[in-house]
Amino acid sequence: SVLLYIQVNISVPLYRCCPGEHLCPPLQSVVQVNFFCDYEESKGNYLVDVDGNRMLDVYTQIASIPIGYNHPALTKVMTDPKNMGTFVNRPALGMMPPEQFSEKLVNGLMAVAPKGFSRVQTMACGSCSNENAYKAIFIWYRVRAGVLSFFFQVPGCPDLTLLSFMGGFHGRTLGCLATTHTKAIQKLDVPSFDWPIAPFPQLRYPLDQFERENAREEARCLEEAEDLIVKWNQKGRHVAGVVIEPIQAEGGDNHASFDFYRKLRGITKKHGCAFLVDEVQTGGGSTGKFWAHAHWGLDDPADIVSFSKKMLTGGYYQKDSFQPDKPFRIFNTWLGDHTKNLLLTEVIKVIKTENLLDQAKRSGKVMLEGLYDLQDKYPHLLSKARGIGTFCAIDVKDEDTRNLLLLKARNKGVVLGGCGTQSIRFRPALVFKEHHAHLFLDIFNDAIAEL
Amino acid sequence: SVLLYIQVNISVPLYRCCPGEHLCPPLQSVVQVNFFCDYEESKGNYLVDVDGNRMLDVYTQIASIPIGYNHPALTKVMTDPKNMGTFVNRPALGMMPPEQFSEKLVNGLMAVAPKGFSRVQTMACGSCSNENAYKAIFIWYRVRAGVLSFFFQVPGCPDLTLLSFMGGFHGRTLGCLATTHTKAIQKLDVPSFDWPIAPFPQLRYPLDQFERENAREEARCLEEAEDLIVKWNQKGRHVAGVVIEPIQAEGGDNHASFDFYRKLRGITKKHGCAFLVDEVQTGGGSTGKFWAHAHWGLDDPADIVSFSKKMLTGGYYQKDSFQPDKPFRIFNTWLGDHTKNLLLTEVIKVIKTENLLDQAKRSGKVMLEGLYDLQDKYPHLLSKARGIGTFCAIDVKDEDTRNLLLLKARNKGVVLGGCGTQSIRFRPALVFKEHHAHLFLDIFNDAIAEL
Ligand code: FES
């Protein structure tokens, strides 16, 4: 661990370092902690940069490395000659799937399917997962409406909408972007859909000290969401679905109570809206359950659950009724990447055999308690320590200080990422153990002490 | 080649064959030539199904296999231990690229950059390539407008539009889908943007017999496109860009003359619209040039060129001025998949050392001449043989007959795909040689004879 305390030197200039210069944008702020990495040398929780600096990674490629770098189980998949055909030839999965496709789905995605889901549609990233989930919702809404009541009389392009929440993030392609409301710069200049946006609860922390205020705030948001659904339905721009994250991640690790989600689910049922839970960042085990929405304790928590990042492949689970009525309505050339299904199957095996969900609970406990201690120690700098499992965050007094802290932590050998305006999010891999949490807290403490 | 004439037995039922049943939709029409494949056993131009049937593949996973199945150059990349870190750990390329990232871009994508392009942005599929190209266009238009004239006074969501063409296909995510106009079922029930759509020339074949009519038709379409730009600009819904394929592929292999494209490029310049050439299906060499738009012979053919499929990675080349003014405006977690960059670098080497562009020209000549012969022989069944390089197509008298012919060809050992309402498209890999073309023509002839 002494090794970690070296200064990290960024030796690769980020201006015009390659012909694709735009991929290495000039460092406009220290938030953009860009450096080049040596992925061969990285291992477990440690990311190694091109200068050989070994850093504890508590950001994991924006929360997308499930079981650490170069896990032997994954290396084994890659070197197994019988997988070569999959890696070298990418099939059009919707038309000519490989022999082992079904088996890999059964032992992979379906082995961790959320309660109540017997279908999964693979996609290639978080954006196409949500884009296609939105389409599945629109199709479902119209097909059902056609069957039930013929209340849509106009053929062609319907005036359906999706309700999303302030501070939510669901991707950056044009459909997803219409439901993403984090930073203004992400939406600036890009045409969008006029769809309803509900407020997301702004809770006060620590949660147990502000129970009454927070309950009131959540009730206000639920009422507003229901009002919007009613109003938009009345004006003929029906709300086909509601999309939400179990924890608003990019938006600043904004939590709402499990009760809030349970009531929101009730509202969607009451008004016949599909309920899409976006688990792109929360899914995969870091909250201590495989899916963050499992904490709500509902028997019928969602109609569609989308995923990507730590799941390696993108895609979504869906209720049977969301299967389009005709083929080719949800389709594209690749429909995912079978390479990722192969790797995911091994990841899931490792999570099970190594009990990594329990590990996330234990490491998360150490982290969160440590963060509470730190905010007690530095109340002028830190606040709102929060989290479930290792999916934790803390707020820093302002954006500039947050950015400085990220840089200081990195220089001391810990890779972190920001979210929201002034939060730091912690996104270790599932192999992050208690001693890693202690090490992280020590270094983080040292970094804060320097502010 | 005798081996090829066996009957193909589809032994895997496509109903409820796996928990992800939706991935194996019921065969509603014979167009959906679904079967399970043995990708380990497939080789070069031959795709092997799970029953061991070896078929000449003239469809190549919807035009996405560049140099045939299991090319030794690609197998070598996959088994090279020094690439293991890349395959096992997927980086967030925009933040923490791997050491060899720049080098792979220089020897990969930039080694085949279209004339006049010095920048490339990697993405992961055709849809996100176009979605982000659209965003880059909107940002460019507004930033330039702001600098030049301040004629946009309203902040926030602008009312910009993109002009696309009837019969064009640019993807199925919501932004792309607004510019896709092939089959009604693809757009049904999905909210869209109200953007201008110009007619695409409906040429008569053979082209040399209808020069005057075709020139008139192209002039009509160009005039209509220009009118739309003027009209939409006047009503304040400015046309920021024009998006078009060099050959409308999904829409039915619809060609327009090189002159049409040259004039369209002129119109975009005259009205200050960005010109986005979508080479997702046409790019990668099958027209005999690496990029189909290179046939136009222009010095400044486009502002953005998007690609995917045979390029293995998605992405787009862009003029310097299309680089967003601020970081994180074009961004997502993975920004492509470096695994694919590694494979592409080898693909490009093979294309160069084996002179595969010339090969495509030679094989394409055999194919097209053979198709001309077949349509002379079966004038009641076939028409409109057309193509550049091996990027060929032919029309069948009606949709049902086309679908039957696809099935018969497959049963005789040739995998083909349809496009448009009644066309068959030919999309062999670049390793498709003259003798493969002859073999294909023989089998295709036999299949037609059975109709
Ligand atoms: S949109 Fe998901 S990979 Fe392209």
Side-chain angles (χ1 to χ4, degrees):
Chain A
S1 75
V2 170
L3 254 179
L4 282 170
Y5 280 81
I6 48 169
Q7 287 288 315
V8 174
N9 298 306
I10 304 179
S11 68
V12 184
L14 293 168
Y15 296 87
R16 306 208 166 271
C17 61
C18 66
E21 167 207 347
H22 56 284
L23 287 164
C24 330
L27 276 172
Q28 300 246 345
S29 85
V30 288
V31 186
Q32 215 171 310
V33 278
N34 290 27
F35 44 86
F36 283 74
C37 298
D38 185 338
Y39 288 102
E40 316 300 323
E41 287 301 315
S42 302
K43 200 163 167 42
N45 292 285
Y46 295 95
L47 177 63
V48 174
D49 74 7
V50 288
D51 299 317
N53 297 304
R54 188 165 161 270
M55 298 167 282
L56 182 66
D57 193 353
V58 194
Y59 193 32
T60 60
Q61 312 296 323
I62 322 181
S64 68
I65 301 288
I67 52 172
Y69 296 102
N70 289 306
H71 195 289
L74 301 186
T75 312
K76 211 175 135 204
V77 182
M78 293 304 309
T79 47
D80 186 339
K82 81 173 190 315
N83 291 332
M84 189 56 66
T86 298
F87 295 131
V88 169
N89 315 297
R90 188 172 184 178
L93 290 174
M95 300 193 94
M96 303 178 188
E99 199 167 358
Q100 336 80 336
F101 187 55
S102 314
E103 180 216 316
K104 290 297 168 195
L105 287 187
V106 172
N107 296 322
L109 289 168
M110 291 315 299
V112 291
K115 210 178 192 171
F117 289 91
S118 59
R119 285 171 190 263
V120 68
Q121 172 66 63
T122 52
M123 288 286 160
C125 77
S127 290
C128 42
S129 302
N130 282 331
E131 290 273 344
N132 282 284
Y134 293 180
K135 286 171 67 173
I137 286 172
F138 292 129
I139 292 168
W140 163 83
Y141 198 80
R142 291 264 296 184
V143 167
R144 197 190 48 151
V147 172
L148 293 182
S149 66
F150 292 94
F151 72 80
F152 292 108
Q153 298 299 335
V154 193
C157 181
D159 218 3
L160 296 179
T161 63
L162 278 182
L163 181 128
S164 54
F165 287 83
M166 281 310 303
F169 183 97
H170 304 287
R172 295 159 182 267
T173 48
L174 268 62
C176 294
L177 198 58
T179 57
T180 286
H181 319 288
T182 41
K183 299 199 173 71
I185 190 77
Q186 290 161 352
K187 293 168 79 86
L188 189 68
D189 301 340
V190 182
S192 193
F193 294 106
D194 177 27
W195 289 350
I197 309 163
F200 189 83
Q202 306 283 309
L203 301 190
R204 298 187 62 184
Y205 293 82
L207 295 176
D208 53 4
Q209 280 176 35
F210 294 96
E211 274 180 22
R212 226 172 5 161
E213 290 91 330
N214 288 341
R216 218 166 26 224
E217 166 69 355
E218 293 194 339
R220 179 186 76 84
C221 294
L222 288 168
E223 199 184 316
E224 175 81 8
E226 184 163 10
D227 275 0
L228 282 168
I229 295 171
V230 171
K231 238 186 281 174
W232 284 67
N233 283 352
Q234 275 169 358
K235 65 178 173 177
R237 304 206 55 213
H238 290 78
V239 178
V242 170
V243 56
I244 198 163
E245 300 154 275
I247 300 164
Q248 287 190 333
E250 299 298 317
D253 272 34
N254 308 320
H255 289 253
S257 71
F258 303 152
D259 193 53
F260 170 83
Y261 285 100
R262 288 191 285 256
K263 286 180 175 147
L264 182 62
R265 174 52 168 156
I267 291 171
T268 63
K269 288 195 170 190
K270 181 172 161 197
H271 295 282
C273 314
F275 193 48
L276 164 51
V277 177
D278 177 341
E279 292 249 20
V280 168
Q281 190 152 170
T282 49
S286 51
T287 67
K289 291 186 188 279
F290 204 91
W291 303 105
H293 75 257
H295 292 279
W296 307 341
L298 287 178
D299 280 331
D300 181 22
D303 295 305
I304 302 194
V305 175
S306 59
F307 54 81
S308 184
K309 288 194 182 260
K310 274 195 291 296
M311 301 299 285
L312 306 179
T313 176
Y316 54 88
Y317 298 97
Q318 60 183 349
K319 294 275 195 68
D320 286 3
S321 50
F322 286 78
Q323 173 62 26
D325 54 330
K326 294 188 188 67
F328 289 123
R329 299 196 71 172
I330 300 287
F331 190 77
N332 61 49
T333 300
W334 288 317
L335 275 178
D337 183 345
H338 193 51
T339 308
K340 314 300 181 195
N341 295 336
L342 254 64
L343 291 168
L344 177 66
T345 306
E346 292 311 306
V347 165
I348 289 169
K349 265 191 224 156
V350 169
I351 291 176
K352 293 193 171 176
T353 56
E354 299 183 12
N355 274 314
L356 293 183
L357 297 184
D358 286 337
Q359 180 63 61
K361 275 177 212 152
R362 290 195 308 272
S363 303
K365 194 160 176 284
V366 173
M367 275 189 83
L368 196 55
E369 277 167 9
L371 293 173
Y372 285 142
D373 288 348
L374 286 172
Q375 78 181 8
D376 284 346
K377 192 168 160 191
Y378 304 101
H380 56 297
L381 287 171
L382 302 178
S383 62
K384 289 194 188 181
R386 57 201 182 272
I388 311 178
T390 58
F391 201 103
C392 295
I394 200 161
D395 274 19
V396 186
K397 71 168 177 156
D398 57 42
E399 188 171 357
D400 287 346
T401 313
R402 187 265 312 266
N403 295 349
L404 186 62
L405 183 53
L406 290 178
L407 188 65
K408 283 193 179 293
R410 181 162 60 86
N411 282 342
K412 290 182 183 300
V414 169
V415 182
L416 295 175
C419 65
T421 48
Q422 62 202 82
S423 304
I424 298 180
R425 56 178 148 177
F426 308 106
R427 298 288 186 273
L430 296 171
V431 292
F432 191 82
K433 295 200 159 58
E434 290 90 331
H435 72 270
H436 298 114
H438 285 299
L439 176 61
F440 151 70
L441 288 165
D442 284 350
I443 301 175
F444 195 50
N445 180 56
D446 289 354
I448 299 162
E450 279 186 13
L451 287 179
Chain B
S1 77
V2 170
L3 255 179
L4 283 170
Y5 280 81
I6 48 168
Q7 288 288 314
V8 173
N9 299 306
I10 304 177
S11 69
V12 184
L14 293 168
Y15 297 86
R16 305 210 165 272
C17 61
C18 67
E21 169 208 344
H22 55 283
L23 288 163
C24 330
L27 275 171
Q28 301 247 345
S29 84
V30 288
V31 186
Q32 215 171 311
V33 276
N34 291 28
F35 43 87
F36 283 74
C37 298
D38 185 339
Y39 288 102
E40 317 300 322
E41 287 301 316
S42 302
K43 200 163 167 44
N45 292 285
Y46 295 95
L47 177 63
V48 174
D49 74 7
V50 288
D51 299 318
N53 296 303
R54 188 166 160 269
M55 297 166 284
L56 183 64
D57 193 353
V58 194
Y59 193 32
T60 60
Q61 312 297 324
I62 321 180
S64 68
I65 300 288
I67 52 173
Y69 295 102
N70 289 306
H71 195 288
L74 301 187
T75 312
K76 212 175 135 202
V77 181
M78 293 302 310
T79 47
D80 186 340
K82 81 173 189 318
N83 291 331
M84 189 56 66
T86 299
F87 295 131
V88 170
N89 315 297
R90 187 173 186 178
L93 289 174
M95 300 193 94
M96 302 178 188
E99 199 168 359
Q100 335 81 336
F101 187 55
S102 315
E103 180 216 317
K104 291 296 166 195
L105 286 187
V106 171
N107 296 322
L109 288 169
M110 290 316 298
V112 291
K115 210 179 190 170
F117 289 91
S118 59
R119 284 171 190 264
V120 68
Q121 172 67 62
T122 53
M123 287 286 161
C125 78
S127 291
C128 41
S129 303
N130 282 331
E131 290 273 344
N132 282 284
Y134 294 179
K135 286 171 67 173
I137 287 172
F138 292 130
I139 292 169
W140 163 84
Y141 197 81
R142 291 264 295 184
V143 168
R144 197 191 48 152
V147 171
L148 292 183
S149 66
F150 292 95
F151 72 81
F152 291 107
Q153 299 299 335
V154 192
C157 180
D159 219 2
L160 296 179
T161 63
L162 278 182
L163 181 127
S164 54
F165 288 82
M166 281 310 303
F169 183 97
H170 304 287
R172 295 160 181 267
T173 49
L174 268 62
C176 294
L177 198 58
T179 57
T180 286
H181 319 287
T182 42
K183 298 197 173 72
I185 190 77
Q186 290 161 352
K187 294 169 78 88
L188 189 68
D189 302 340
V190 182
S192 194
F193 293 107
D194 177 26
W195 290 349
I197 309 164
F200 189 83
Q202 305 284 308
L203 302 190
R204 298 185 64 183
Y205 294 82
L207 296 176
D208 53 3
Q209 280 175 36
F210 295 98
E211 274 181 19
R212 225 174 3 161
E213 289 90 331
N214 288 341
R216 216 163 32 221
E217 167 68 355
E218 293 193 338
R220 179 187 76 85
C221 294
L222 288 168
E223 199 184 315
E224 175 82 7
E226 185 163 11
D227 274 0
L228 282 168
I229 295 171
V230 171
K231 236 186 285 176
W232 285 67
N233 282 352
Q234 275 169 357
K235 65 178 173 177
R237 304 206 54 213
H238 291 78
V239 178
V242 171
V243 56
I244 198 163
E245 300 154 274
I247 301 164
Q248 287 191 333
E250 299 299 316
D253 272 33
N254 308 319
H255 290 253
S257 71
F258 303 153
D259 193 52
F260 170 84
Y261 285 101
R262 289 190 284 255
K263 286 180 174 147
L264 182 63
R265 174 53 169 153
I267 291 172
T268 63
K269 287 195 171 188
K270 180 173 163 197
H271 295 282
C273 313
F275 193 49
L276 164 52
V277 177
D278 177 340
E279 293 249 21
V280 168
Q281 191 152 169
T282 50
S286 51
T287 67
K289 292 187 186 278
F290 204 90
W291 302 105
H293 75 257
H295 292 279
W296 307 342
L298 287 177
D299 279 333
D300 182 22
D303 296 304
I304 302 194
V305 175
S306 60
F307 55 81
S308 185
K309 287 192 182 263
K310 273 195 292 296
M311 301 299 285
L312 306 179
T313 176
Y316 54 87
Y317 298 97
Q318 59 184 350
K319 294 276 196 66
D320 285 4
S321 50
F322 285 78
Q323 172 63 26
D325 53 331
K326 295 188 187 68
F328 289 122
R329 298 196 72 172
I330 300 287
F331 189 78
N332 60 48
T333 300
W334 287 317
L335 276 178
D337 183 344
H338 192 53
T339 309
K340 314 300 180 195
N341 295 334
L342 255 64
L343 291 168
L344 177 66
T345 305
E346 293 311 306
V347 166
I348 288 169
K349 265 190 223 157
V350 169
I351 291 175
K352 294 195 169 172
T353 56
E354 298 184 13
N355 274 314
L356 293 182
L357 297 184
D358 287 338
Q359 180 62 61
K361 275 178 211 149
R362 291 194 307 272
S363 302
K365 195 159 178 284
V366 173
M367 275 188 84
L368 196 55
E369 278 168 8
L371 293 173
Y372 285 142
D373 288 348
L374 285 172
Q375 78 181 9
D376 284 346
K377 193 168 161 190
Y378 305 101
H380 55 298
L381 287 171
L382 302 178
S383 62
K384 291 194 188 180
R386 56 202 183 273
I388 310 178
T390 58
F391 201 103
C392 294
I394 199 161
D395 274 18
V396 187
K397 71 168 176 157
D398 56 42
E399 187 171 357
D400 287 346
T401 313
R402 188 266 311 266
N403 295 349
L404 187 62
L405 183 53
L406 291 177
L407 187 65
K408 283 194 179 292
R410 180 161 61 87
N411 283 342
K412 291 183 181 300
V414 169
V415 182
L416 296 174
C419 65
T421 48
Q422 61 203 82
S423 305
I424 297 180
R425 56 178 149 177
F426 307 106
R427 300 287 187 273
L430 296 171
V431 293
F432 191 82
K433 296 199 157 58
E434 290 90 331
H435 72 272
H436 297 114
H438 286 297
L439 176 60
F440 151 70
L441 289 164
D442 284 351
I443 301 175
F444 195 49
N445 180 55
D446 289 354
I448 299 162
E450 278 187 15
L451 287 178

